[in-house]
Amino acid sequence: MTISPGEDRRVVAVQGLGFVGAAMAIAAASAVNDDGEPAFTVIGVDRDDALGRARVDALNSGRFPFETTDRQLTHALAAARERGNLQAGVDPAAYGLADTIVIDVPLDIDWRSETPELRLAGFEAAIRTVGEWVRPGALVIVETTVPPGTTQRIVVPLLEDCLRDRGLDPGSVLVAHSYERVMPGADYLDSIVNYWRVYAGHTDDAAKAAEKFLSTVINVDDFPISRLSNTTASETAKVLENTFRATTIALMDEWSQFAEMAGVDLFEVVDAIRMRPTHANMRTPGFGVGGYCLTKDPLFGWLAAKVLFDQPVEFPFARAAVRTNDAAPLRVIELTTELLGGSLAGRHILLLGVSYRQDVGDTRYSPAETFARAAIGAGARLTAHDPLMDHWEELGCRVATELPSADDVDAVVLAVPHSGYRDIDVLTWFDRNQPAVIDAWDVWTAEQRRLASSLGCRVTSIGRGIHPRNGKS
Ligand SMILES: NC(=O)c1ccc[n+]([C@@H]2O[C@H](COP(=O)([O-])OP(=O)(O)OC[C@H]3O[C@@H](n4cnc5c(N)ncnc54)[C@H](O)[C@@H]3O)[C@@H](O)[C@H]2O)c1
């Protein structure tokens, strides 16, 4: 790769071109100065391996590396390529050209293990690479979701060591933390540029530099950014934000079980409670939690206390939420088994939706995967459909992108509320066969469920109290 930054533009390097970094690189390349001119030349950098090169090649050929329904994002990428202020590569020398380096690499937890641990090695290696190239005076912004304390206790010392090894002033780099709230989906780009941000600097100068950078990329007039006192507070904000969400989702799981048993429609209950302004954002029942963030992030507080501070705090709610949400799809297995007379062996299940979220082509830790593995393990034949992908990486199987016939299907499981599923013409689709229908995530409208029932399908929903156990299906 030839790295040729614009003559008078500041240079931004984005480390890690995944779901976050690829979109952040486009957001930065779309940023303009007060005079309306592009503010930055952006260089996206990934690892020199098959995955990294595929993401680099995609961006360099004007393709977003992931399926997306956000036309604004794909147009912004095309415009940046046309202007020539966005390029990608695998050469870490790019960090040496940058005024600002944005860290968007993962920091994993083996969250399904009995004894979950932080997997710090990859993240630390990424920071070291930056330390080997970063210029004195540059700003490094950590966007990765990390255990609170990481910037102060891991990132800054690693960068200082690297600078010292290079014979440079160890304090000459500005370090900040500002977490991403990006939501891959229909408003992917907007969820970066038209969305509120939190940030903090390791020093006052770092905070000021981060504010300047973020104010150029983000529409801060309409979406003000919040500065916190230190980077550990900013890291805590991200982790608490996601823990709050995961915990409230888990809470609804136990109330769903109660509602299904007691013949109560929990959606109706939540709608009524939401009239009270203090409870307006109450969650509704669903299929569990998937994706790369809500599955692991609630464990970061617990692991930070243990590993970074060596002062354990037990976090019982957060840890229970992770387990509850992970097990939620297995309740759908139980329901499906009951509707099919006590066994899934030899039965044909059509799974509608395999990603973890509506209108997103990301299958990482999707509840559908847990469901599919359990169904196949119980002897079912599974057909998977998803409008956003034709291959399911985790299961290594084909995914239908066109809605399959329901003629030889025993049960349809509605697993993801992709927008197209609300357009299914139930009367035509179930004309010749009336399978059981399990709506696991409030996917269908009341009318679609009513029509399926009227044809003779046994229809049930997570959280709706129309459950075989109370005789209302
Ligand atoms: N996916 C989301 O919706 C989302 C939202 C908010 C925050 N986050 C957080 O953002 C971070 C990144 O998540 P993601 O979903 O983009 O992950 P991802 O796995 O999609 O992408 C990470 C990328 O980093 C690259 N990478 C790893 N080590 C590298 C290195 N040393 N040098 C250069 N590239 C390297 C990988 O090859 C990969 O392309 C995580 O901390 C995640 O929790 C994700």
Side-chain angles (χ1 to χ4, degrees), residues 220-433:
V220 291
D221 291 338
D222 296 326
F223 300 90
I225 54 178
S226 310
R227 175 173 169 178
L228 300 189
S229 318
N230 56 58
T231 53
T232 305
S234 171
E235 294 160 339
T236 300
K238 171 66 182 184
V239 171
L240 174 55
E241 192 171 304
N242 276 0
T243 304
F244 173 74
R245 199 162 169 79
T247 312
T248 53
I249 292 171
L251 179 72
M252 293 317 288
D253 188 71
E254 62 196 34
W255 284 98
S256 291
Q257 293 185 47
F258 176 80
E260 290 156 20
M261 175 278 296
V264 167
D265 183 338
L266 204 57
F267 289 88
E268 178 189 83
V269 170
V270 170
D271 276 349
I273 296 172
R274 280 176 171 173
M275 296 297 285
R276 186 182 160 173
T278 52
H279 289 55
N281 69 350
M282 194 169 189
R283 298 288 310 185
T284 48
F287 195 26
V289 154
Y292 182 57
C293 297
L294 290 197
T295 44
K296 70 174 186 345
D297 291 358
L299 298 181
F300 272 133
W302 176 59
L303 288 169
K306 196 159 82 165
V307 178
L308 299 185
F309 293 86
D310 198 20
Q311 292 186 54
V313 177
E314 283 311 310
F315 285 96
F317 288 125
R319 289 159 68 197
V322 169
R323 288 193 300 273
T324 301
N325 290 332
D326 191 31
L330 299 178
R331 289 213 305 114
V332 182
I333 285 283
E334 274 174 34
L335 258 179
T336 312
T337 309
E338 266 180 68
L339 281 178
L340 294 184
S343 170
L344 296 184
R347 309 307 290 272
H348 185 191
I349 298 175
L350 174 57
L351 184 65
L352 293 192
V354 305
S355 70
Y356 81 90
R357 188 167 183 269
Q358 63 271 32
D359 302 324
V360 167
D362 184 355
T363 53
R364 287 180 292 177
Y365 303 122
S366 74
E369 179 187 341
T370 305
F371 176 89
R373 289 192 192 284
I376 293 166
R381 177 160 69 93
L382 193 92
T383 300
H385 170 271
D386 197 295
L388 292 177
M389 73 205 74
D390 58 11
H391 178 74
W392 194 349
E393 199 181 316
E394 287 80 1
L395 269 87
C397 69
R398 206 181 72 79
V399 177
T401 50
E402 296 295 324
L403 188 69
S405 156
D407 287 359
D408 71 338
V409 168
D410 296 300
V412 172
V413 174
L414 300 159
V416 185
H418 286 317
S419 26
Y421 290 154
R422 289 199 158 207
D423 301 328
I424 291 175
D425 177 351
V426 172
L427 290 181
T428 311
W429 197 38
F430 290 160
D431 183 28
R432 285 199 294 252
N433 180 37

Side-chain angles (χ1 to χ4, degrees), residues 159-236:
L159 290 176
E160 286 179 350
D161 282 352
C162 292
L163 289 163
R164 227 177 264 115
D165 288 350
R166 290 166 60 200
L168 298 169
D169 171 5
S172 60
V173 169
L174 303 168
V175 184
H177 179 266
S178 176
Y179 60 89
E180 275 287 358
R181 286 168 165 156
V182 61
M183 281 170 288
D187 303 318
Y188 206 156
L189 185 59
D190 265 347
S191 69
I192 296 178
V193 297
N194 284 312
Y195 218 71
W196 304 267
R197 271 273 185 147
V198 175
Y199 71 103
H202 181 62
T203 59
D204 188 48
D205 283 349
K208 285 180 180 143
E211 181 184 351
K212 191 165 175 224
F213 172 74
L214 293 170
S215 303
T216 310
V217 176
I218 294 167
N219 168 13
V220 291
D221 291 338
D222 296 326
F223 300 90
I225 54 178
S226 310
R227 175 173 169 178
L228 300 189
S229 318
N230 56 58
T231 53
T232 305
S234 171
E235 294 160 339
T236 300

